[in-house]
Amino acid sequence: MSIGITDEHVELAASLRKWGSSLGGVDASRAAESEPGAAFADVLGAAAEMGVTTIGLDESLGGGGGSPLDVAVALEACAHELVPGPLLGAAVAAHLLGDVDELAPGLADGSVVVALCLDASLSAVWDTPSATHLLAPDEDDAWSLVPVTDVRLVHGLGLDLSRRFGSAEPSSSATAVALPSLSGDLVRRTAITFAAAEAAGLARWCLATAVEHAKVREQFGQRIGAFQAVKHLCAEMLETAESVTAVAWDVACASTGSEEQWAFAVDVAQAVALDGAVANAKTCIQVLGGIGFTYEHDAHLYLRRALSLRALLGEADAAALRLTDRAVSGVRRQVDVDLEGRDDAVRPAIRTRVEDIASAPADQRRAALVESGYLVPHWPAPAGLGADAVSQIVIDQELARAGVTRPDIVIAGWALPTILEHGTDEQRERFVRPSLQGDLVWCQLFSEPGSGSDLASLRTRAEKVDGGWRLSGQKVWTSVAERADWGICLARTDPDVPQHKGISYFLVDMKRSPGIDVRPLREITGEALFNEVFLDDVFVPDDCLVASPGDGWRLARTTLANERVAMATSRLSKSTERAVELACSRELSVAERVRVGHGVALATVCSLLGVRTVLRSLEGQGPGAESAVAKLLGVRNRQDGSELVVELQGGAVVNPSEELRADVWEMLNTRCLSIAGGTTQILRNVAGERILGLPR
């Protein structure tokens, strides 16, 4: 998935990638390998003719009238095809100087090409061979524009073969146009905003190249993409590419909002995007193996550009330090979803109904939520409303506005969708509404000591008897089994067919069924949140079998796949917020504050992935890779964050206060997150196979 989400942006990206591929940017870069003064004039002319360099200029000036997000989509596509020359600098110049009357026409027709330098040393000037003007600051951060006829430029051949950089030395008689509206912060933010888009294009090319190679390259008699080590490398590249894409999208969107929100988004992008592009380029070469290390393969050209971008604009730790300061001052990234009027038809009725719910006594609100369908609006009627994405978002917004919090239905949120979709009318009548009302508590009897994530290998057996089935076996890691009324249970009903075909899905009465032995299982926190459950010839009547015998595997996948559209909160994850609190109340070292800032960046990325999933739903698209990546990154965010919180408190952990005891509990408890619901390694296998198409 690219930066663009709307159909218009998807089409723009596709057309520009096709156009960029036709230019032969890689060949042009190779051909100019030994020319320090290469201006890539043909490519620049084609880009100007295509409107790539002017997409962000006002239409009255001959530009495309596009938003910064339009520019970002274009730059990502061009970077994906390694289009050489001064595209990034041109985008930055157009954004900063598009309202300068004497420059705008030249920027629009390509006759003005601005070389940019971010500091007064003039030692790293962008795009010197193509330049007609130099934009740079003096020692006092006063910015001006100087014609190159008044400047001595020295062109260089650096790490990035697709671009040229150099140095400059103004003459004593240089004619400079002062630009008092510019500042170093503004120029830097603009440059990072568009550089993040290029980083996304580089990261995605590297991912696609590695995956395609892994699909066809054979070693030891099979394609290397089937090897778990390679599959995990590719899945990790997917995580990185989605993260870079999310922050590149967000910073382009934020650039038209408040200064505070744009500054926050820039720091997140700087902390994530440029390092991410470098990481994917290096991993791409690793997957390619020896061929990736050759000069003939294109991979090193992408690594070179990614490294150059990072050298120019990286400073990830500096950005993380600023993020800590911003978070301590109370700033969080707040992404507003523009429903573009699609909510007008539904919001009045939803607001009225929510106000009625909010006015009810506290002990009656749950019943009111169930009756309205607002507890689970994404579920089909009568449990929910079968609500579309817009209605779901509006319901969430109005409940939040009214201060109404939905109760957590926990395991019922997995059990009931399966009953709704595959159960009988009697089962739906018997279980759905009482569970939503909180009258029935559920547990899940899936995992076993010998199977774990491999549900197909479970050994609990169910034998057919008159009127039902007899279940025998052992389950483990079963939360709330000690107080559950009912359990959803997978058991093997046919041992003579392939493993995943002989499993059935049962509803087990945990309170009244003889033969159930629930034993608390103490975890590393010292508490017993989970249980072992022993089933000894437990009778389950026929009316508690869901669907038909042998359908259990299919039904289990329905249970675990159920998701809804929900906007992410602007709050960071629990542990990240706690780390920010410590940064506010304690004297942390610079290194510690940097770590807090990187945690803020990761937590923000997780929220952005959720927002992008929502926007895809609004566009009528299926879930993208973001949802799978969000699970993997969310686990890392919570585990790393909780560990950081404890580390920030140093030696006090050996004799902790009550507050630190709670932090230690959270750190220990989050270790289960990379195991529960499918281990991180299994999820990466799934991402590699189902999203990237790698062989089993």
Side-chain angles (χ1 to χ4, degrees):
M1 302 294 178
S2 64
I3 289 175
I5 293 175
T6 65
D7 290 343
E8 180 182 1
H9 280 152
V10 170
E11 291 173 8
L12 174 63
S15 64
L16 284 177
R17 280 197 298 270
K18 184 177 180 180
W19 167 81
S21 177
S22 71
L23 291 179
V26 169
D27 292 339
S29 298
R30 290 183 181 279
E33 176 189 342
S34 60
E35 301 176 30
F40 301 109
D42 291 344
V43 173
L44 182 59
E49 184 177 343
M50 188 70 175
V52 173
T53 56
T54 59
I55 194 171
L57 283 172
D58 191 271
E59 289 180 329
S60 64
L61 302 172
S67 67
L69 183 56
D70 296 325
V71 177
V73 170
L75 289 175
E76 178 196 36
C78 291
H80 190 281
E81 302 303 326
L82 207 74
V83 176
L87 297 188
L88 177 59
V92 173
H95 187 83
L96 295 173
L97 306 175
D99 58 354
V100 178
D101 293 339
E102 57 267 40
L103 291 176
L107 290 170
D109 64 22
S111 61
V112 171
V113 177
V114 177
L116 172 65
C117 188
L118 297 178
D119 61 66
S121 71
L122 302 183
S123 60
V125 181
W126 305 18
D127 308 316
T128 54
S130 311
T132 60
H133 293 75
L134 170 65
L135 176 64
D138 62 16
E139 296 290 348
D140 298 319
D141 196 34
W143 287 75
S144 60
L145 195 69
V146 182
V148 295
T149 52
D150 293 344
V151 178
R152 180 176 178 269
L153 294 177
V154 178
H155 313 309
L157 182 63
L159 177 64
D160 183 0
L161 301 183
S162 65
R163 288 208 177 103
R164 294 296 181 268
F165 298 88
S167 60
E169 183 181 330
S171 68
S172 57
S173 59
T175 305
V177 177
L179 299 167
S181 63
L182 298 190
S183 67
D185 276 348
L186 176 61
V187 176
R188 179 185 61 84
R189 289 176 189 174
T190 303
I192 293 168
T193 295
F194 294 132
E198 284 211 348
L202 300 175
R204 291 208 164 276
W205 182 92
C206 293
L207 170 62
T209 300
V211 168
E212 288 307 309
H213 180 77
K215 288 179 179 179
V216 299
R217 173 64 170 165
E218 292 191 1
Q219 286 282 285
F220 307 105
Q222 60 180 317
R223 291 169 291 172
I224 64 171
F227 302 150
Q228 181 165 280
V230 174
K231 196 168 294 179
H232 284 194
L233 285 176
C234 292
E236 289 165 7
M237 291 179 73
L238 174 66
E239 295 170 43
T240 300
E242 287 299 326
S243 300
V244 174
T245 302
V247 300
W249 165 80
D250 183 54
V251 72
C253 294
S255 65
T256 58
S258 71
E259 284 292 312
E260 181 181 74
Q261 286 291 298
W262 184 30
F264 191 96
V266 165
D267 286 338
V268 173
Q270 191 172 13
V272 172
L274 306 180
D275 278 348
V278 171
N280 264 20
K282 292 192 294 188
T283 306
C284 176
I285 292 173
Q286 185 70 22
V287 173
L288 291 168
I291 191 175
F293 189 68
T294 64
Y295 204 83
E296 287 74 17
H297 198 283
D298 299 340
H300 75 96
L301 297 174
Y302 285 81
L303 174 62
R304 287 167 176 271
R305 182 179 275 198
L307 287 167
S308 294
L309 271 181
R310 186 173 69 177
L312 285 169
L313 298 164
E315 297 183 339
D317 286 352
L321 197 58
R322 289 192 298 271
L323 277 174
T324 299
D325 293 339
R326 298 187 198 283
V328 164
S329 69
V331 182
R332 303 291 184 273
R333 184 71 183 102
Q334 298 174 335
V335 181
D336 295 323
V337 173
D338 184 3
L339 297 175
E340 299 176 339
R342 288 175 286 188
D343 57 324
D344 292 345
V346 298
R347 190 176 294 276
I350 290 173
R351 176 168 293 180
T352 298
R353 191 65 183 269
V354 168
E355 288 172 349
D356 291 341
I357 295 170
S359 65
D363 61 351
Q364 297 178 23
R365 286 181 184 173
R366 179 166 186 155
L369 283 167
V370 173
E371 184 64 31
S372 65
Y374 288 5
L375 181 59
V376 283
H378 57 300
W379 288 5
L385 303 172
D388 61 17
V390 171
S391 296
Q392 289 184 53
I393 291 172
V394 173
I395 290 170
D396 283 358
Q397 289 174 338
E398 292 301 318
L399 287 173
R401 187 186 66 83
V404 176
T405 302
R406 291 188 180 98
D408 186 357
I409 61 175
V410 200
I411 302 300
W414 295 355
L416 299 186
T418 304
I419 296 172
L420 283 167
E421 184 172 349
H422 303 288
T424 64
D425 290 339
E426 291 76 12
Q427 288 170 343
R428 285 187 280 269
E429 178 68 24
R430 181 179 180 183
F431 294 112
V432 174
R433 184 168 288 267
S435 299
L436 294 178
Q437 296 278 19
D439 298 330
L440 296 179
V441 175
W442 290 81
C443 67
Q444 178 181 275
L445 303 165
F446 281 13
S447 293
E448 296 184 4
S451 58
S453 299
D454 182 13
L455 294 180
S457 68
L458 62 84
R459 297 179 180 179
T460 296
R461 64 185 185 277
E463 297 180 355
K464 189 71 180 76
V465 297
D466 288 344
W469 303 78
R470 291 284 181 183
L471 275 60
S472 296
Q474 180 184 356
K475 299 293 183 178
V476 73
W477 315 124
T478 307
S479 58
V480 305
E482 77 283 357
R483 58 185 175 88
D485 300 289
W486 287 84
I488 50 176
C489 181
L490 294 181
R492 187 167 302 286
T493 50
D494 188 346
D496 299 324
V497 297
Q499 285 186 330
H500 66 281
K501 292 185 177 180
I503 298 172
S504 299
Y505 193 107
F506 296 94
L507 309 178
V508 178
D509 189 334
M510 298 292 292
K511 290 288 181 65
R512 291 170 293 188
S513 299
I516 297 178
D517 182 13
V518 177
R519 302 178 189 176
L521 187 64
R522 198 175 184 207
E523 298 89 43
I524 64 174
T525 61
E527 299 180 2
L529 301 178
F530 298 105
N531 302 273
E532 293 179 291
V533 179
F534 295 86
L535 306 170
D536 184 10
D537 210 24
V538 175
F539 178 73
V540 177
D542 282 328
D543 62 5
C544 286
L545 170 70
V546 182
S548 301
D551 284 341
W553 179 257
R554 176 171 62 92
L555 270 59
R557 294 179 68 179
T558 300
T559 300
L560 297 176
N562 185 64
E563 294 182 358
R564 72 181 182 94
V565 176
M567 285 299 300
T569 174
S570 61
R571 281 183 59 81
L572 306 169
S573 62
K574 176 182 176 180
S575 292
T576 307
E577 290 286 0
R578 175 73 174 125
V580 171
E581 178 186 325
L582 292 174
C584 183
S585 62
R586 293 169 177 256
E587 282 293 330
L588 301 183
S589 68
V590 171
E592 288 172 330
R593 293 179 73 84
V594 165
R595 291 183 65 193
V596 173
H598 281 298
V600 171
L602 178 56
T604 303
V605 168
C606 292
S607 294
L608 294 176
L609 292 170
V611 173
R612 283 173 60 82
T613 296
V614 168
L615 291 174
R616 290 195 188 284
S617 296
L618 292 173
E619 290 294 319
Q621 303 169 9
E626 297 100 341
S627 56
V629 170
K631 159 69 172 169
L632 290 163
L633 291 184
V635 167
R636 176 152 63 90
N637 176 34
R638 289 189 60 187
Q639 288 183 336
D640 291 357
S642 61
E643 189 171 348
L644 174 60
V645 165
V646 173
E647 290 181 7
L648 291 177
Q649 298 175 75
V653 70
V654 300
N655 185 25
S657 64
E658 285 302 312
E659 190 174 47
L660 180 49
R661 287 182 192 277
D663 294 334
V664 170
W665 185 93
E666 180 71 11
M667 177 191 69
L668 294 174
N669 188 56
T670 57
R671 296 318 309 166
C672 75
L673 297 179
S674 51
I675 302 170
T679 68
T680 295
Q681 290 68 34
I682 293 296
L683 291 177
R684 284 187 174 136
N685 285 348
V686 172
E689 293 164 8
R690 296 185 186 173
I691 297 176
L692 300 178
L694 293 171
R696 292 179 178 274

